[in-house]
Amino acid sequence: MPTGHLFIDLEAVAANWRALDRASAADCETAAVVKADAYGLGLAQVAPRLAQEGARAFFVATAAEGLELRRILGPEPRIYLLYGHMPGDTATIQRADLVPMVCSLAQLILHLEALPRQPFGLQLDTGMNRLGLRDGEWAEVAAHALKAEPVLIMSHLASADDPDSSQSGEQLARFRAMTDGVPVPRSLAATGGTLLGPDYHFDMTRPGVGLFGGFPFTQAEPVVTLDLPVIACFDVEAGECVGYNATWTAPAATRIATVAGGYADGLPRALQPDLDLMAGPVPCRAVGRVSMDLIGVDIGHLDNDPEALRVLGPHHGIDTLAHAAGTIGYEILTSLGRRYDRHYRS
Ligand SMILES: *Cc1c(COP(=O)(O)O)cnc(C)c1O
């Protein structure tokens, strides 16, 4: 077992998509957001499984991702670009038949001049202040833009993962004020918004992280399991230190396992001191600094030296790990290492 083994359960991804699809009305389309290599889990494996499940609309960020996805999925599914129509992307958008979600006035002008017959969508900013036409801009160009027949109008919620936040309701009201009566399909909800309820669904939901088992879809089926091989085991005396800068000192004699995996594999240095690795059902504490390729683990309470320790699994998911590292599940997923042996259950 030369490197860590990353198991990715495509059946669980499909089940999560179905569950989020069921959360909205039958006439509300459920898209799939697969930007950043399907949140790090592999576009070439994830996207076809979702298409097989019935997904017909996919979102990626860049035109290069869109081109790759078109090659994977063939001509039929619609592929939307969250970066819109960037200068230099015109040929790719046309060749791969991508739908840029235009997100500024400059992009709107560029798109209508460069590819007047290529379908496009519009992003509106309803308060996140990240991308999209702002209130005043939209008022100015709505009539002109609508004449060009956009295929989708969308906005994005900033705080949908927090049901108690008042920001979602404010953004919903602004989205309605900007788009009610406009004869174009609308989309507001990602995973969080989908779970906020039908007011947020409109004509299409756009879940991403929920497909991959991440918060706020707490009912999701877990998707990833990560086992790290144990390279060496040895005894240490009380008072001996483990790892860079000697940040951990053994309070009593114990046994240490050094496992293959570190921050170069997406296991943040900030994980220690709150990381447990699992030997079957038994938690074992990481001790000392996380190195680039190695982590020390206290296995003094185990009967036998383990061959591998589990960092991510059904009972110990991406959000637990994220919490220990002071980050979010999205970042754990998209950082998962390129060195792992990847195994897909389809
Ligand atoms: C990433 C993204 C999504 C998906 O969000 P999740 O929180 O992962 O479900 C949807 N819409 C936009 C605009 C995004 O950037």
Side-chain angles (χ1 to χ4, degrees):
M1 198 196 272
T3 68
H5 285 262
L6 181 63
F7 299 90
I8 296 166
D9 188 344
L10 297 176
E11 188 50 47
V13 174
N16 291 334
W17 184 83
R18 281 197 307 271
L20 290 166
D21 185 36
R22 277 196 306 273
S24 60
D27 61 353
C28 171
E29 175 161 30
T30 303
V33 181
V34 291
K35 58 196 179 188
D37 197 30
Y39 289 49
L41 298 185
L43 187 66
Q45 290 78 18
V46 168
R49 185 65 186 84
L50 288 168
Q52 181 192 333
E53 208 57 35
R56 290 292 170 267
F58 293 82
F59 285 83
V60 292
T62 73
E65 290 175 346
L67 176 61
E68 188 188 352
L69 185 56
R70 180 60 75 207
R71 286 183 177 138
I72 293 167
L73 290 181
E76 235 170 82
R78 267 159 303 127
I79 300 174
Y80 299 91
L81 300 182
L82 293 168
Y83 279 1
H85 192 144
M86 305 260 286
D89 285 344
T90 302
T92 305
I93 287 169
Q94 186 171 34
R95 183 155 64 100
D97 191 18
L98 310 173
V99 183
M101 294 302 301
V102 162
C103 55
S104 70
L105 275 185
Q107 281 201 357
L108 183 62
I109 294 163
L110 168 64
H111 182 78
L112 295 180
E113 277 179 3
L115 294 175
R117 279 187 296 279
Q118 177 71 27
F120 73 103
L122 287 166
Q123 299 193 55
L124 304 181
D125 196 303
T126 52
M128 186 172 186
N129 293 318
R130 189 175 69 166
L131 278 184
L133 299 177
R134 304 169 69 80
D135 248 338
E137 294 174 326
W138 177 233
E140 225 168 274
V141 302
H144 179 64
L146 291 173
K147 242 185 262 151
E149 298 186 354
V151 296
L152 182 69
I153 296 181
M154 63 167 257
S155 187
H156 193 51
L157 297 168
S159 304
D161 61 348
D162 174 9
D164 297 329
S165 168
S166 58
Q167 192 180 9
S168 299
E170 289 160 17
Q171 288 194 257
L172 174 62
R174 197 172 302 175
F175 189 57
R176 282 202 166 286
M178 290 169 89
T179 60
D180 272 355
V182 171
V184 175
R186 294 184 287 181
S187 176
L188 179 61
T191 300
T194 304
L195 299 172
L196 287 179
D199 286 354
Y200 289 85
H201 294 168
F202 294 91
D203 303 296
M204 178 198 280
T205 58
R206 315 183 302 270
V209 79
L211 307 176
F212 309 114
F215 182 85
F217 188 23
T218 49
Q219 305 301 311
E221 288 189 21
V223 170
V224 287
T225 304
L226 175 59
D227 291 336
L228 301 182
V230 172
I231 300 183
C233 298
F234 48 88
D235 295 322
V236 294
E237 301 296 329
E240 285 196 271
C241 301
V242 171
Y244 282 118
N245 302 109
T247 56
W248 185 83
T249 306
T254 188
R255 193 164 172 78
I256 300 293
T258 300
V259 298
Y263 59 78
D265 303 297
L267 301 168
R269 197 164 168 278
L271 275 171
Q272 212 281 325
D274 284 327
L275 174 63
D276 281 328
L277 292 87
M278 306 298 283
V282 185
C284 304
R285 196 112 276 229
V287 293
R289 290 254 159 93
V290 173
S291 304
M292 187 181 293
D293 331 279
L294 300 166
I295 300 174
V297 184
D298 186 345
I299 57 162
H301 55 307
L302 300 183
D303 295 333
N304 298 301
D305 290 348
E307 277 181 27
L309 291 169
R310 181 157 287 185
V311 191
L312 279 170
H315 305 293
H316 200 233
I318 52 171
D319 291 299
T320 310
L321 207 68
H323 188 76
T327 181
I328 52 175
Y330 298 72
E331 194 174 349
I332 297 294
L333 281 175
T334 54
S335 306
L336 284 170
R338 307 291 140 198
R339 292 195 286 192
Y340 301 135
D341 258 346
R342 290 172 172 235
H343 311 267
Y344 290 90
R345 182 174 90 104
S346 53

